[in-house]
Amino acid sequence: NLKKLDIHPGTVYGVVGTIGSGKTTLLNLMAGFDKQSSGSLLYEGKEYDKNWLGKIRQNEDVFCSIDPQHNGNNKTISNYVSSQFPKKKNLIENRYFKNSSFKHLWNRRIDRLSAGELNWLGMIIACECDPRVLLIDDYGMYFNSSMEKDFRSQLLKMNRSLGTTIILTSSSDIYLKYFASVLIFLDHGHISKIRTGNSRSSKRESNFKKSSFNKNKRHHKKRRYN
């Protein structure tokens, strides 16, 4: 059985599995939202920091697309965007809300969004932030082909220009196989297989021994793109 997973910096990973296979749980652990029941979860060779109550402190280098659900309750999208991107509020509003079918959501409270709307908001925030590691849950689940193509382009630009490590989950590899370098297949909480994605022909070495989330200390450029 595979017991260790190393995540290499600057790589795009696709995690594929059916409902209940453990995709969201894996991202919640990496994001610091939940604590693993056993094993070790490491970032740059160290366990996540904890507060005096033993609760995990979220790593500022890691952003998860479901973050608004955890940190935006009782805020409107407008307020949340203002707090996250004080200098880019107007840009984000004009880019995603002004002339789209989502215009009516700008002043809606985040805790009143549907699952699809929350997923869409998470994708917007993900594409506008600049983390070293970006985690995206249920990629493409609520998109049409045009939306998926636009978000994919933005994510690839982030990866290539900033060296961002990106980990996306989906119930199918229909989208992920075209731009993820590595595809990880989950089955009931276990890794069933790992394959090289279609985006690159090179094979990456994978070593497995215990649950591990690894990233080296290579300098990450803080340049944003529009």
Side-chain angles (χ1 to χ4, degrees), residues 174-206:
I174 187 172
Y175 295 130
L176 300 185
K177 65 183 179 182
Y178 293 113
F179 70 111
S181 298
V182 179
L183 292 173
I184 302 169
F185 293 84
L186 294 184
D187 183 19
H188 293 91
H190 300 281
I191 297 174
S192 60
K193 58 185 175 181
I194 296 179
R195 290 182 178 175
T196 301
N198 293 345
S199 62
R200 298 178 186 177
S201 58
S202 62
K203 293 184 178 180
R204 296 183 177 272
E205 180 182 7
S206 299

Tab-separated table of all heavy atoms in Angstrom, residues 174-206:
chain	number	residue	atom	x	y	z
A	174	ILE	N	-11.755	14.471	-16.734
A	174	ILE	CA	-12.117	15.020	-18.038
A	174	ILE	C	-11.410	16.342	-18.329
A	174	ILE	O	-11.015	16.604	-19.462
A	174	ILE	CB	-13.658	15.190	-18.145
A	174	ILE	CG1	-14.050	15.610	-19.559
A	174	ILE	CG2	-14.178	16.152	-17.099
A	174	ILE	CD1	-15.550	15.605	-19.809
A	175	TYR	N	-11.238	17.196	-17.315
A	175	TYR	CA	-10.508	18.446	-17.480
A	175	TYR	C	-9.075	18.322	-16.985
A	175	TYR	O	-8.139	18.819	-17.624
A	175	TYR	CB	-11.194	19.579	-16.713
A	175	TYR	CG	-12.564	19.948	-17.206
A	175	TYR	CD1	-13.643	20.045	-16.318
A	175	TYR	CD2	-12.804	20.218	-18.551
A	175	TYR	CE1	-14.909	20.408	-16.766
A	175	TYR	CE2	-14.067	20.571	-19.007
A	175	TYR	CZ	-15.112	20.662	-18.106
A	175	TYR	OH	-16.369	21.009	-18.550
A	176	LEU	N	-8.891	17.683	-15.857
A	176	LEU	CA	-7.584	17.651	-15.204
A	176	LEU	C	-6.503	17.004	-16.058
A	176	LEU	O	-5.341	17.418	-16.013
A	176	LEU	CB	-7.689	16.916	-13.863
A	176	LEU	CG	-8.653	17.500	-12.823
A	176	LEU	CD1	-8.547	16.729	-11.523
A	176	LEU	CD2	-8.378	18.977	-12.599
A	177	LYS	N	-6.856	16.018	-16.834
A	177	LYS	CA	-5.844	15.290	-17.589
A	177	LYS	C	-5.151	16.149	-18.641
A	177	LYS	O	-4.068	15.807	-19.114
A	177	LYS	CB	-6.458	14.057	-18.251
A	177	LYS	CG	-7.509	14.369	-19.303
A	177	LYS	CD	-8.110	13.084	-19.855
A	177	LYS	CE	-9.191	13.365	-20.906
A	177	LYS	NZ	-9.805	12.097	-21.387
A	178	TYR	N	-5.765	17.277	-19.003
A	178	TYR	CA	-5.189	18.116	-20.037
A	178	TYR	C	-4.218	19.170	-19.518
A	178	TYR	O	-3.498	19.784	-20.311
A	178	TYR	CB	-6.297	18.799	-20.845
A	178	TYR	CG	-7.114	17.825	-21.651
A	178	TYR	CD1	-8.451	17.604	-21.354
A	178	TYR	CD2	-6.538	17.104	-22.691
A	178	TYR	CE1	-9.201	16.694	-22.086
A	178	TYR	CE2	-7.278	16.191	-23.421
A	178	TYR	CZ	-8.611	15.997	-23.107
A	178	TYR	OH	-9.351	15.091	-23.831
A	179	PHE	N	-4.203	19.419	-18.205
A	179	PHE	CA	-3.213	20.389	-17.728
A	179	PHE	C	-2.543	20.021	-16.418
A	179	PHE	O	-1.630	20.716	-15.978
A	179	PHE	CB	-3.831	21.795	-17.643
A	179	PHE	CG	-4.847	22.022	-16.572
A	179	PHE	CD1	-4.568	22.846	-15.495
A	179	PHE	CD2	-6.110	21.457	-16.650
A	179	PHE	CE1	-5.512	23.102	-14.528
A	179	PHE	CE2	-7.063	21.714	-15.696
A	179	PHE	CZ	-6.775	22.539	-14.619
A	180	ALA	N	-2.929	18.928	-15.788
A	180	ALA	CA	-2.220	18.455	-14.603
A	180	ALA	C	-1.031	17.601	-15.039
A	180	ALA	O	-1.148	16.774	-15.944
A	180	ALA	CB	-3.149	17.640	-13.707
A	181	SER	N	0.109	17.821	-14.413
A	181	SER	CA	1.295	17.018	-14.729
A	181	SER	C	1.202	15.630	-14.117
A	181	SER	O	1.727	14.666	-14.659
A	181	SER	CB	2.557	17.719	-14.210
A	181	SER	OG	2.732	18.972	-14.822
A	182	VAL	N	0.541	15.555	-12.950
A	182	VAL	CA	0.417	14.282	-12.241
A	182	VAL	C	-1.041	14.084	-11.839
A	182	VAL	O	-1.677	15.007	-11.315
A	182	VAL	CB	1.301	14.261	-10.971
A	182	VAL	CG1	1.143	12.930	-10.232
A	182	VAL	CG2	2.758	14.515	-11.328
A	183	LEU	N	-1.572	12.900	-12.093
A	183	LEU	CA	-2.933	12.551	-11.693
A	183	LEU	C	-2.868	11.522	-10.573
A	183	LEU	O	-2.223	10.474	-10.710
A	183	LEU	CB	-3.712	11.985	-12.879
A	183	LEU	CG	-4.032	12.973	-14.011
A	183	LEU	CD1	-4.666	12.229	-15.187
A	183	LEU	CD2	-4.943	14.088	-13.529
A	184	ILE	N	-3.533	11.834	-9.460
A	184	ILE	CA	-3.578	10.943	-8.302
A	184	ILE	C	-5.010	10.444	-8.159
A	184	ILE	O	-5.940	11.248	-8.021
A	184	ILE	CB	-3.143	11.677	-7.025
A	184	ILE	CG1	-1.726	12.237	-7.189
A	184	ILE	CG2	-3.232	10.753	-5.807
A	184	ILE	CD1	-1.322	13.190	-6.084
A	185	PHE	N	-5.214	9.139	-8.178
A	185	PHE	CA	-6.554	8.561	-8.096
A	185	PHE	C	-6.794	8.025	-6.686
A	185	PHE	O	-5.999	7.229	-6.172
A	185	PHE	CB	-6.723	7.450	-9.129
A	185	PHE	CG	-6.706	7.945	-10.551
A	185	PHE	CD1	-5.502	8.156	-11.214
A	185	PHE	CD2	-7.894	8.220	-11.234
A	185	PHE	CE1	-5.482	8.619	-12.532
A	185	PHE	CE2	-7.885	8.682	-12.536
A	185	PHE	CZ	-6.674	8.884	-13.186
A	186	LEU	N	-7.884	8.477	-6.074
A	186	LEU	CA	-8.239	8.042	-4.729
A	186	LEU	C	-9.396	7.049	-4.767
A	186	LEU	O	-10.293	7.153	-5.590
A	186	LEU	CB	-8.647	9.236	-3.860
A	186	LEU	CG	-7.593	10.275	-3.509
A	186	LEU	CD1	-8.181	11.312	-2.564
A	186	LEU	CD2	-6.364	9.635	-2.882
A	187	ASP	N	-9.370	6.125	-3.827
A	187	ASP	CA	-10.446	5.146	-3.694
A	187	ASP	C	-10.636	4.842	-2.214
A	187	ASP	O	-9.775	4.241	-1.575
A	187	ASP	CB	-10.095	3.867	-4.470
A	187	ASP	CG	-11.211	2.832	-4.422
A	187	ASP	OD1	-12.357	3.221	-4.112
A	187	ASP	OD2	-10.944	1.650	-4.685
A	188	HIS	N	-11.749	5.328	-1.644
A	188	HIS	CA	-12.070	5.126	-0.233
A	188	HIS	C	-10.932	5.561	0.688
A	188	HIS	O	-10.546	4.844	1.617
A	188	HIS	CB	-12.409	3.649	0.025
A	188	HIS	CG	-13.674	3.200	-0.646
A	188	HIS	ND1	-13.677	2.645	-1.921
A	188	HIS	CD2	-14.964	3.244	-0.259
A	188	HIS	CE1	-14.911	2.358	-2.266
A	188	HIS	NE2	-15.719	2.715	-1.290
A	189	GLY	N	-10.396	6.738	0.411
A	189	GLY	CA	-9.373	7.299	1.281
A	189	GLY	C	-7.973	6.830	1.019
A	189	GLY	O	-7.033	7.229	1.719
A	190	HIS	N	-7.790	5.983	0.024
A	190	HIS	CA	-6.465	5.453	-0.294
A	190	HIS	C	-6.080	5.805	-1.730
A	190	HIS	O	-6.943	5.930	-2.600
A	190	HIS	CB	-6.433	3.930	-0.125
A	190	HIS	CG	-6.752	3.460	1.263
A	190	HIS	ND1	-5.840	3.495	2.289
A	190	HIS	CD2	-7.900	2.966	1.802
A	190	HIS	CE1	-6.390	3.036	3.395
A	190	HIS	NE2	-7.649	2.711	3.130
A	191	ILE	N	-4.785	5.960	-1.967
A	191	ILE	CA	-4.298	6.214	-3.320
A	191	ILE	C	-4.291	4.895	-4.079
A	191	ILE	O	-3.592	3.949	-3.704
A	191	ILE	CB	-2.886	6.814	-3.285
A	191	ILE	CG1	-2.903	8.167	-2.576
A	191	ILE	CG2	-2.339	6.984	-4.709
A	191	ILE	CD1	-1.533	8.757	-2.363
A	192	SER	N	-5.072	4.815	-5.149
A	192	SER	CA	-5.147	3.579	-5.918
A	192	SER	C	-4.128	3.546	-7.053
A	192	SER	O	-3.612	2.482	-7.400
A	192	SER	CB	-6.564	3.392	-6.488
A	192	SER	OG	-6.916	4.474	-7.337
A	193	LYS	N	-3.816	4.725	-7.625
A	193	LYS	CA	-2.806	4.780	-8.692
A	193	LYS	C	-2.391	6.222	-8.928
A	193	LYS	O	-3.099	7.152	-8.574
A	193	LYS	CB	-3.339	4.175	-9.982
A	193	LYS	CG	-4.600	4.827	-10.521
A	193	LYS	CD	-5.126	4.096	-11.742
A	193	LYS	CE	-6.464	4.686	-12.201
A	193	LYS	NZ	-7.014	3.964	-13.376
A	194	ILE	N	-1.233	6.367	-9.532
A	194	ILE	CA	-0.711	7.676	-9.907
A	194	ILE	C	-0.253	7.604	-11.355
A	194	ILE	O	0.442	6.671	-11.748
A	194	ILE	CB	0.459	8.104	-9.006
A	194	ILE	CG1	-0.016	8.277	-7.561
A	194	ILE	CG2	1.086	9.410	-9.492
A	194	ILE	CD1	1.083	8.687	-6.602
A	195	ARG	N	-0.660	8.589	-12.141
A	195	ARG	CA	-0.302	8.601	-13.553
A	195	ARG	C	0.211	9.970	-13.955
A	195	ARG	O	-0.156	10.978	-13.359
A	195	ARG	CB	-1.512	8.229	-14.420
A	195	ARG	CG	-1.937	6.779	-14.304
A	195	ARG	CD	-3.108	6.496	-15.221
A	195	ARG	NE	-3.508	5.090	-15.168
A	195	ARG	CZ	-4.565	4.598	-15.792
A	195	ARG	NH1	-5.336	5.406	-16.507
A	195	ARG	NH2	-4.861	3.309	-15.707
A	196	THR	N	1.033	9.992	-14.993
A	196	THR	CA	1.485	11.250	-15.554
A	196	THR	C	0.375	11.837	-16.408
A	196	THR	O	-0.244	11.136	-17.206
A	196	THR	CB	2.740	11.038	-16.425
A	196	THR	OG1	3.766	10.457	-15.621
A	196	THR	CG2	3.239	12.355	-16.980
A	197	GLY	N	0.096	13.138	-16.235
A	197	GLY	CA	-0.938	13.783	-17.027
A	197	GLY	C	-0.493	14.005	-18.464
A	197	GLY	O	0.683	13.836	-18.808
A	198	ASN	N	-1.422	14.409	-19.299
A	198	ASN	CA	-1.123	14.625	-20.712
A	198	ASN	C	-0.357	15.907	-20.973
A	198	ASN	O	0.176	16.109	-22.061
A	198	ASN	CB	-2.426	14.672	-21.532
A	198	ASN	CG	-3.123	13.333	-21.559
A	198	ASN	OD1	-2.532	12.320	-21.227
A	198	ASN	ND2	-4.385	13.330	-21.954
A	199	SER	N	-0.282	16.791	-19.960
A	199	SER	CA	0.337	18.096	-20.185
A	199	SER	C	1.846	18.006	-20.333
A	199	SER	O	2.465	18.841	-20.973
A	199	SER	CB	0.003	19.047	-19.033
A	199	SER	OG	0.519	18.545	-17.815
A	200	ARG	N	2.464	16.985	-19.749
A	200	ARG	CA	3.906	16.833	-19.842
A	200	ARG	C	4.243	15.358	-20.015
A	200	ARG	O	3.609	14.486	-19.469
A	200	ARG	CB	4.608	17.372	-18.588
A	200	ARG	CG	4.367	18.868	-18.376
A	200	ARG	CD	5.037	19.330	-17.121
A	200	ARG	NE	4.705	20.720	-16.836
A	200	ARG	CZ	5.103	21.380	-15.758
A	200	ARG	NH1	5.834	20.778	-14.866
A	200	ARG	NH2	4.756	22.641	-15.570
A	201	SER	N	5.301	15.101	-20.767
A	201	SER	CA	5.690	13.721	-21.015
A	201	SER	C	6.674	13.204	-19.981
A	201	SER	O	6.880	11.998	-19.849
A	201	SER	CB	6.328	13.601	-22.405
A	201	SER	OG	7.457	14.462	-22.507
A	202	SER	N	7.310	14.109	-19.249
A	202	SER	CA	8.304	13.684	-18.270
A	202	SER	C	7.645	13.012	-17.080
A	202	SER	O	6.581	13.407	-16.640
A	202	SER	CB	9.116	14.886	-17.783
A	202	SER	OG	8.273	15.807	-17.157
A	203	LYS	N	8.286	11.990	-16.562
A	203	LYS	CA	7.776	11.263	-15.402
A	203	LYS	C	8.470	11.774	-14.148
A	203	LYS	O	9.656	12.011	-14.122
A	203	LYS	CB	8.038	9.763	-15.559
A	203	LYS	CG	7.241	9.140	-16.692
A	203	LYS	CD	7.471	7.635	-16.747
A	203	LYS	CE	6.638	6.995	-17.855
A	203	LYS	NZ	6.852	5.546	-17.920
A	204	ARG	N	7.681	11.949	-13.108
A	204	ARG	CA	8.228	12.425	-11.843
A	204	ARG	C	8.334	11.260	-10.866
A	204	ARG	O	7.459	10.415	-10.795
A	204	ARG	CB	7.340	13.532	-11.247
A	204	ARG	CG	7.297	14.763	-12.128
A	204	ARG	CD	6.462	15.853	-11.444
A	204	ARG	NE	6.485	17.053	-12.255
A	204	ARG	CZ	7.413	17.996	-12.153
A	204	ARG	NH1	8.379	17.869	-11.286
A	204	ARG	NH2	7.372	19.073	-12.922
A	205	GLU	N	9.419	11.283	-10.110
A	205	GLU	CA	9.624	10.226	-9.133
A	205	GLU	C	8.658	10.380	-7.977
A	205	GLU	O	8.442	11.472	-7.473
A	205	GLU	CB	11.058	10.301	-8.600
A	205	GLU	CG	11.367	9.235	-7.578
A	205	GLU	CD	12.772	9.367	-7.035
A	205	GLU	OE1	13.428	10.357	-7.373
A	205	GLU	OE2	13.180	8.485	-6.284
A	206	SER	N	8.037	9.306	-7.567
A	206	SER	CA	7.099	9.337	-6.440
A	206	SER	C	7.535	8.327	-5.393
A	206	SER	O	7.708	7.160	-5.703
A	206	SER	CB	5.688	8.995	-6.920
A	206	SER	OG	5.263	9.931	-7.875
